[in-house]
């Protein structure tokens, strides 16, 4: 009688758990640029505190007054190239 055949195990690569790239991205640490030192003068920003947008940079350098000025400049530049601003 032939010897009992043992089941062959699949290679180690086939046994690895399949991962979901979206799930991995949710748990990965954020790769943001370093945030500038917070503005400590009068009128500090309350909302634009993280990230690397021009508004965040203006907030860190000159507080709320500088952030408002940066936003107004963005609107002027947009209008100059034909964009329309939507107010909700």
């Amino acid at each position: 009688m032939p010897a009992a055949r043992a089941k062959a195990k699949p290679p180690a690569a086939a046994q690895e758990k399949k991962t979901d790239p979206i799930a991995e991205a949710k748990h990965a640490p954020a790769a943001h640029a370093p945030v500038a030192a917070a503005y400590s003068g009068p009128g500090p920003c309350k909302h634009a505190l993280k990230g690397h947008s021009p508004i965040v940079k203006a907030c860190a350098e000159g507080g709320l007054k500088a952030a408002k000025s940066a936003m107004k400049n963005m609107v002027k530049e947009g209008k100059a190239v034909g964009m329309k601003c939507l107010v909700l």
Side-chain angles (χ1 to χ4, degrees), residues 51-78:
H52 53 276
S53 72
I55 305 305
V56 173
K57 290 176 185 175
C59 241
E61 293 171 3
L64 189 58
K65 188 173 183 179
K68 283 184 179 182
S69 175
M71 287 185 264
K72 288 180 182 181
N73 286 335
M74 288 176 74
V75 170
K76 285 180 187 177
E77 290 172 6

Side-chain angles (χ1 to χ4, degrees), residues 5-84:
R5 293 186 183 185
K7 279 190 170 181
K9 291 185 178 181
Q15 289 180 351
E16 290 180 16
K17 183 180 176 183
K18 293 183 180 180
T19 57
D20 181 18
I22 296 174
E24 287 179 10
K26 288 180 183 177
H27 298 292
H32 293 290
V35 178
Y39 176 74
S40 60
C45 293
K46 296 178 183 178
H47 297 286
L49 302 175
K50 295 180 183 178
H52 53 276
S53 72
I55 305 305
V56 173
K57 290 176 185 175
C59 241
E61 293 171 3
L64 189 58
K65 188 173 183 179
K68 283 184 179 182
S69 175
M71 287 185 264
K72 288 180 182 181
N73 286 335
M74 288 176 74
V75 170
K76 285 180 187 177
E77 290 172 6
K79 286 183 179 180
V81 296
M83 294 181 74
K84 293 183 180 181

